[in-house]
Amino acid sequence: MTATDPAKAASRPVPVSIDPSIAPPGTRNFRDAGGIPADQWHADQNGETLVPTHCCFCGVQCGMYLRVDKGGKVFGVEPRNHDINRMRLCPKGINAYQQVNHPDRLTAPLMRRSRDEEFKECSWDEALDFTVSEIRRIQEAHGNDAFGLLGGASLFSEKTYLVGKFARVALKSKHVDYNGRLCMVSAAGANKLAFGIDRAGNPFSDILLTDCLLIAGSNVGECFPVMTQYLWGARDRGASLIVIDPRETAIARTADIHVAIKPGTDSAFFNAVLNVVIAEGLTDEAYIAANTTGWEEVKKTVAAYPPSRSAEICGVPASQIVQVARVFAGADKAMAWHARGIEHHSQGVENCLSVINLCVATGHIGKPGAGYGTITGQGNGQGGREHGQKSDLLPGGRSITNPEHRKQICQIWGIEESELPGAGTSMMEMVWQMQRGEIRGLIGICNNPFVSLPNYAVVKDGYDTAEFHAQFDFFLSETAANAHVVFPVTTWAEDEGVMANAEARVVKHNKAQEPPAGVRTDTWVICELARRLGAGKHFDFPGSREVFEELRVASAGTVNDYYGITYDRLDETGGIAWPCPSTEHPGTPRLFEDGRTYHPDGKIHMQVVEWHPPMDAYTEEYPLSLTTGRTVAHFLSGNQTRRLGALVEQTPRPWVEVHPSHGFRNGDPVRVVTRRGSEVFPALVTEAIRPDTVFIPYHWPVPTSANALTIDALDPRSKIPEYKVCAARIEAAERVDEVPAPPTPPGREAYPETQVSRTDPLPPTSPQGRGTAERS
Amino acid sequence: MMGRTIFIDPGRCIGCQACVSACRECDSHRGKSMIHLDYTEPGMSVASLPSVCMHCEDPVAPCAEVCPADAILVTADGVVQQADTTRCIGCSNCVNACPFGIPKIDLQAKLQMKCNLCYDRTAYGLAPMCATVCPTGALFYGTLEELQAERPGVQVADSFVFGDVVVQTGVAMVVPADKVQWPVPGGLPVVEINGRDVR
Ligand code: SF4
Ligand code: SF4
């Protein structure tokens, strides 16, 4: 063995021990480890600066530095020792900076009078005037509600606040919703019903303190990669891991119990687990008696779900149900985290409620290491709905149908209550309304429904029927390519604002560079449209900072209280969890520590859950379940990540995951048929999936779009589409359909590197995709 | 084993390739990754395994030993550097000599490229890019004591047997606690596949 250079060894300070309640294991502060502080690392070398900010993608909201060169341009990333991620980043986060100065960026407004024409670059005045004249024309002829607005949960909270205010005050339309509707609204609805507050109960760091971690319907390794360090940290301390997922994902692979459940049967499973918990006397009766309502009814309902019955429904051994009950209820402290796998269902709210019932009945709530959490897909999935972007909510999580709440907001906004519209419909319903001609004009802000909504044929028809469509984006997405007007707006690195991550921790993103010439902030565009619509006095905001000040005041005294959160405090801390009612308040990382919920009676309202089958019936013709999900290299509709060379190279195209029992070989072209249509994907043959289930990642547009096949059935309460289960069959096909290259904006050459990967899809026989071959 | 080094724990790896992307960001070889991700049981499992340069100690760096141009330098603290571009003749000897399959030849530049443990960072006490970002801790940078303090009971191996040859490395691998038999099989002959004895 070679000895370490003694001089160097002596200069290295002794590592300090890390408090497990705040720092995940395997992490250290490089200041403590000696050497150059991370935040001066490159600054020392090249005269560049490091701007502290956060990742623009998922709901972990990892801290990162953007490297900015002497000319003021973002050109790289450097890990940042932030509380949330402690230097960790996933490949999306590492490559995110590449979109800031990407050649595909839109740098001038695009306009056309009809969809048959080509886009032409135009001036901002032309684009804004045309949009405003179309809004006026449509609203005068068909009423205010004939024009709709769809926002996005990747926007900063300030912008989501503006979207809600713009719809109600400037457009005076009730039709506003956002793409978080496709994300975690089922969990939100369930949490609201049970606890009166819509957020995760515990911070990530509580995972390190738990004895049993139950993950339901979340492929943490690929969708929330940086959270894995908390999982593995918990396991280092001996916590058991239970994973409920139809696929053997990277975390399921090492779980103590992996329940390979049939898609769409989650509430039957959790009801049976609770049934066993009750039968074995593992409930926390004292806790239930003191803190809950509705327990007797829940008890009665779950009596109808003995393990034998649920085992049959869920396609899992009854013994596993018993085992899960014993391990979860028997643990000193247990936590349940869930995500789209149980939420994207026509019974998404019920599924979440059945998990909550289990946590509550076993007393695993409101303690360090015990509680529940929801994993948000989008960066601001949590914050995006808190301040009025959702059709039924006003800022501060106020209900738009509650007269008291309406009065409060009208006072803040300075409008008459009679002027404030009522509740609108959800994102998918708005598309149906567009098909029927009820909504005739639409503005979309940073969303891409052509890839992200289910049942593509219906979505395309809805948008095509709309008389006018404008879209805000920084790349020409599939949806923007259908619009009449496209406004080129800033990326996250060109503006400042806050987002709330999956812990409801509000973090601040900072501006790293000036936007390219011709590009405006979303805030500017919204305010300018409002001004031209005659509502200028309500939208006099020079920038995010001023919007945030109004948002703080508008949320004061509500459950979603941001009043105590200021930009300065966010700059000084690692983020503050709401509710935070005063500037001295430290924030609320963990809920219900005093045993009180946010219902007026302070109790947890347990809810009865009955399982019912998925909306799309299995028949001989369609015997399999099709389920969808994400891959680690791509984000949602892929509009951003499908342009970044390294990520395209990592996962160039989608595939269909099938069990070997179907007789396909890796790379065989497989036609997947559902009642909505059919598409051909290369097969990824793997034992890591149930034989009765097939899986397709959904980041690509037609002709290899998972969402061209999924069903547009909605949960009656949350209105979330049932992405995670529909009936399908598979058959051998001739060749794989190719993913078309995204449209190139006019006047610009495509990015040569990514273009190569896009137009050179792998031959159908080549093994590719997750876990099939070396791709490095 | 070096004081601070990389420990690889394949059991934690989720195959996310953050390490690969991060390696590309390193200023010394921007745009090219020097770390590889292997999928060990394709079709059976999603298991994956990152490979970095193992910084062989005994025999000292086979790649360096066979280099006819003396282009591969080993530093005093045991880091096997990437071939010096002013000396490398692109002959591929190192590629053939490495028992772990690490060095690669950039065919266009006719130069060898390999992981140098982010020497520009590690020399200053920072972790290499891959181990910094790895979301799971599958790549850990630190001392064995630090690793064991955070992961009680963890066992590592730094000796690998290839046929008759034992290679001791600067980078270590986490091995199942109940299977610690040093040295661990690093190459042929294969004795066990999926728990089945195939000797
Ligand atoms: S995508 Fe999520 S996990 Fe990955 S770096 Fe960004 S915030 Fe972190
Ligand atoms: S970053 Fe870590 S978890 Fe991800 S592939 Fe590399 S070693 Fe595995």
Side-chain angles (χ1 to χ4, degrees), chain A residues 54-64 84-85 88-94 96 222-227 377 379 630 632 635, chain B residues 135:
Chain A
H54 291 263
C55 176
C56 57
F57 293 124
C58 85
V60 181
Q61 284 297 291
C62 296
M64 59 164 66
I84 296 173
N85 59 312
R88 312 307 201 197
L89 289 171
C90 84
K92 291 188 287 291
I94 294 165
E222 298 206 62
C223 307
F224 234 51
V226 170
M227 191 174 156
R630 280 157 67 169
V632 67
F635 187 65

Coordinates of all heavy atoms in Angstrom, one line a residue, chain A residues 54-64 84-85 88-94 96 222-227 377 379 630 632 635, chain B residues 135, ligand 1:
Chain A
H54 N -31.2 27.1 -7.4 CA -31.7 25.7 -7.2 C -31.9 25.1 -8.6 O -32.1 25.9 -9.6 CB -32.9 25.7 -6.4 CG -32.7 26.0 -5.0 ND1 -32.5 25.1 -4.0 CD2 -32.5 27.2 -4.4 CE1 -32.3 25.7 -2.8 NE2 -32.3 27.0 -3.0
C55 N -32.1 23.8 -8.6 CA -32.4 23.1 -9.9 C -33.8 23.5 -10.3 O -34.7 23.8 -9.5 CB -32.3 21.6 -9.7 SG -32.8 20.7 -11.1
C56 N -34.0 23.6 -11.6 CA -35.3 24.0 -12.2 C -36.2 22.9 -12.3 O -37.4 23.0 -12.6 CB -35.1 24.7 -13.5 SG -34.2 23.6 -14.7
F57 N -35.8 21.6 -12.1 CA -36.6 20.5 -12.4 C -37.5 20.0 -11.3 O -38.4 20.6 -10.9 CB -35.8 19.4 -13.1 CG -35.2 19.7 -14.4 CD1 -33.8 19.7 -14.6 CD2 -36.0 20.2 -15.4 CE1 -33.3 20.0 -15.9 CE2 -35.5 20.5 -16.7 CZ -34.1 20.4 -16.9
C58 N -37.1 18.9 -10.7 CA -38.1 18.2 -9.8 C -38.3 18.8 -8.5 O -37.7 19.8 -8.1 CB -37.8 16.7 -9.7 SG -36.6 16.3 -8.4
G59 N -39.2 18.3 -7.7 CA -39.6 18.8 -6.4 C -38.6 18.6 -5.3 O -38.9 19.0 -4.1
V60 N -37.4 18.0 -5.5 CA -36.4 18.0 -4.5 C -35.9 19.4 -4.3 O -35.6 19.9 -3.2 CB -35.3 17.0 -4.8 CG1 -34.2 17.0 -3.7 CG2 -35.8 15.6 -5.0
Q61 N -35.7 20.1 -5.5 CA -35.2 21.5 -5.5 C -33.7 21.5 -4.9 O -33.4 22.3 -4.0 CB -36.1 22.5 -4.7 CG -37.3 22.8 -5.5 CD -37.0 23.6 -6.8 OE1 -36.5 24.7 -6.8 NE2 -37.1 22.9 -7.9
C62 N -32.9 20.7 -5.5 CA -31.5 20.7 -5.1 C -30.8 22.0 -5.3 O -31.0 22.7 -6.3 CB -30.7 19.7 -6.0 SG -31.3 18.0 -5.8
G63 N -30.0 22.4 -4.3 CA -29.2 23.6 -4.4 C -28.1 23.4 -5.4 O -27.6 22.3 -5.5
M64 N -27.8 24.4 -6.1 CA -26.6 24.3 -7.1 C -26.1 25.7 -7.3 O -26.7 26.7 -6.9 CB -27.1 23.7 -8.4 CG -28.2 24.5 -9.1 SD -28.3 24.1 -10.9 CE -28.9 22.5 -10.8
I84 N -30.8 20.7 1.5 CA -31.6 19.7 0.9 C -30.8 18.6 0.3 O -31.1 17.4 0.5 CB -32.5 20.4 -0.2 CG1 -33.5 21.4 0.4 CG2 -33.3 19.3 -1.0 CD1 -34.2 22.2 -0.7
N85 N -29.8 18.9 -0.5 CA -29.1 17.9 -1.3 C -27.7 17.7 -0.9 O -27.1 16.7 -1.3 CB -29.2 18.3 -2.8 CG -28.6 19.6 -3.1 OD1 -28.9 20.6 -2.4 ND2 -27.7 19.6 -4.1
R88 N -25.3 16.9 -3.7 CA -25.8 15.8 -4.6 C -26.6 16.5 -5.8 O -27.3 17.4 -5.6 CB -26.7 14.8 -4.0 CG -26.3 14.3 -2.7 CD -24.9 13.7 -2.8 NE -24.7 12.7 -1.7 CZ -23.5 12.3 -1.4 NH1 -22.4 12.8 -2.1 NH2 -23.3 11.4 -0.5
L89 N -26.5 15.9 -7.0 CA -27.3 16.3 -8.1 C -27.6 15.1 -8.9 O -26.8 14.1 -9.0 CB -26.6 17.3 -8.9 CG -26.4 18.7 -8.4 CD1 -25.5 19.5 -9.3 CD2 -27.7 19.5 -8.2
C90 N -28.7 15.1 -9.7 CA -29.0 14.0 -10.6 C -28.6 14.5 -12.0 O -28.2 15.6 -12.2 CB -30.4 13.6 -10.5 SG -31.5 14.5 -11.5
P91 N -28.6 13.6 -13.0 CA -28.1 14.1 -14.3 C -28.9 15.2 -14.9 O -28.3 16.1 -15.6 CB -28.2 12.8 -15.2 CG -29.0 11.9 -14.5 CD -28.9 12.2 -13.0
K92 N -30.2 15.3 -14.6 CA -30.9 16.5 -15.1 C -30.4 17.8 -14.5 O -30.2 18.8 -15.2 CB -32.4 16.3 -14.7 CG -33.1 15.2 -15.4 CD -34.6 15.3 -15.1 CE -35.0 14.8 -13.7 NZ -34.8 13.4 -13.4
G93 N -30.1 17.7 -13.2 CA -29.6 18.9 -12.5 C -28.3 19.3 -13.1 O -28.0 20.5 -13.3
I94 N -27.4 18.4 -13.3 CA -26.1 18.7 -13.8 C -26.2 19.3 -15.2 O -25.4 20.2 -15.5 CB -25.2 17.4 -13.8 CG1 -25.0 16.9 -12.4 CG2 -23.9 17.7 -14.5 CD1 -24.5 15.5 -12.3
A96 N -28.8 20.9 -16.5 CA -29.8 21.9 -16.7 C -29.3 23.2 -17.2 O -29.9 23.9 -18.0 CB -30.5 22.2 -15.3
E222 N -35.4 7.2 -10.0 CA -35.4 7.9 -11.3 C -36.1 9.2 -11.2 O -35.8 10.1 -12.0 CB -36.0 7.0 -12.4 CG -35.1 5.7 -12.5 CD -35.2 5.1 -13.9 OE1 -34.8 5.7 -14.9 OE2 -35.7 3.9 -14.0
C223 N -37.1 9.3 -10.4 CA -37.9 10.5 -10.4 C -37.5 11.5 -9.4 O -37.8 12.7 -9.5 CB -39.4 10.2 -10.2 SG -40.0 8.9 -11.3
F224 N -36.9 11.1 -8.3 CA -36.5 11.9 -7.2 C -35.2 11.5 -6.7 O -35.0 11.3 -5.5 CB -37.6 11.7 -6.1 CG -38.2 12.9 -5.6 CD1 -38.8 13.8 -6.5 CD2 -38.3 13.2 -4.2 CE1 -39.5 15.0 -6.0 CE2 -38.9 14.3 -3.8 CZ -39.5 15.2 -4.7
P225 N -34.2 11.4 -7.6 CA -33.0 10.7 -7.3 C -32.3 11.1 -6.1 O -31.7 10.3 -5.3 CB -32.1 10.9 -8.6 CG -33.0 11.4 -9.6 CD -34.2 12.0 -9.0
V226 N -32.3 12.4 -5.8 CA -31.5 12.9 -4.7 C -32.1 12.6 -3.4 O -31.4 12.6 -2.3 CB -31.2 14.4 -4.9 CG1 -30.6 15.1 -3.7 CG2 -30.3 14.6 -6.1
M227 N -33.3 12.2 -3.4 CA -33.9 11.7 -2.1 C -33.4 10.4 -1.7 O -33.5 10.0 -0.5 CB -35.4 11.6 -2.3 CG -36.2 11.4 -1.0 SD -38.0 11.6 -1.4 CE -38.7 10.6 -0.1
G377 N -43.7 16.0 -8.4 CA -43.0 15.8 -9.6 C -42.3 17.1 -10.1 O -41.1 17.1 -10.4
G379 N -40.9 21.1 -10.0 CA -40.1 21.9 -9.1 C -41.0 22.6 -8.1 O -40.8 22.7 -6.9
R630 N -41.6 7.9 -15.5 CA -40.5 8.7 -15.9 C -39.2 7.9 -16.0 O -39.1 6.8 -15.5 CB -40.3 9.9 -15.0 CG -41.3 11.0 -15.2 CD -41.4 11.8 -14.0 NE -40.3 12.6 -13.6 CZ -40.3 13.6 -12.7 NH1 -41.4 13.9 -12.1 NH2 -39.2 14.2 -12.4
V632 N -34.8 8.7 -15.5 CA -34.1 9.7 -14.8 C -33.5 10.8 -15.6 O -33.3 11.9 -15.2 CB -32.9 9.0 -14.0 CG1 -31.9 8.4 -14.9 CG2 -32.3 9.9 -13.0
F635 N -37.3 15.0 -18.1 CA -38.3 15.7 -17.3 C -39.6 15.9 -18.0 O -39.6 16.5 -19.0 CB -37.7 17.0 -16.8 CG -38.5 17.7 -15.8 CD1 -38.6 17.1 -14.5 CD2 -39.1 18.9 -16.0 CE1 -39.4 17.8 -13.6 CE2 -39.8 19.5 -15.1 CZ -40.0 19.0 -13.8
Chain B
P135 N -26.1 10.8 -6.1 CA -27.3 11.0 -5.2 C -27.4 9.9 -4.1 O -28.1 10.2 -3.1 CB -28.5 11.0 -6.1 CG -28.0 10.9 -7.4 CD -26.6 10.5 -7.4
Ligands
SF4_1 S1 -34.1 17.1 -11.1 FE1 -34.6 16.9 -8.9 S2 -33.2 15.5 -8.0 FE2 -32.3 16.1 -10.0 S3 -30.9 17.7 -9.5 FE3 -32.9 18.7 -10.1 S4 -34.0 18.9 -8.1 FE4 -32.3 17.5 -7.8

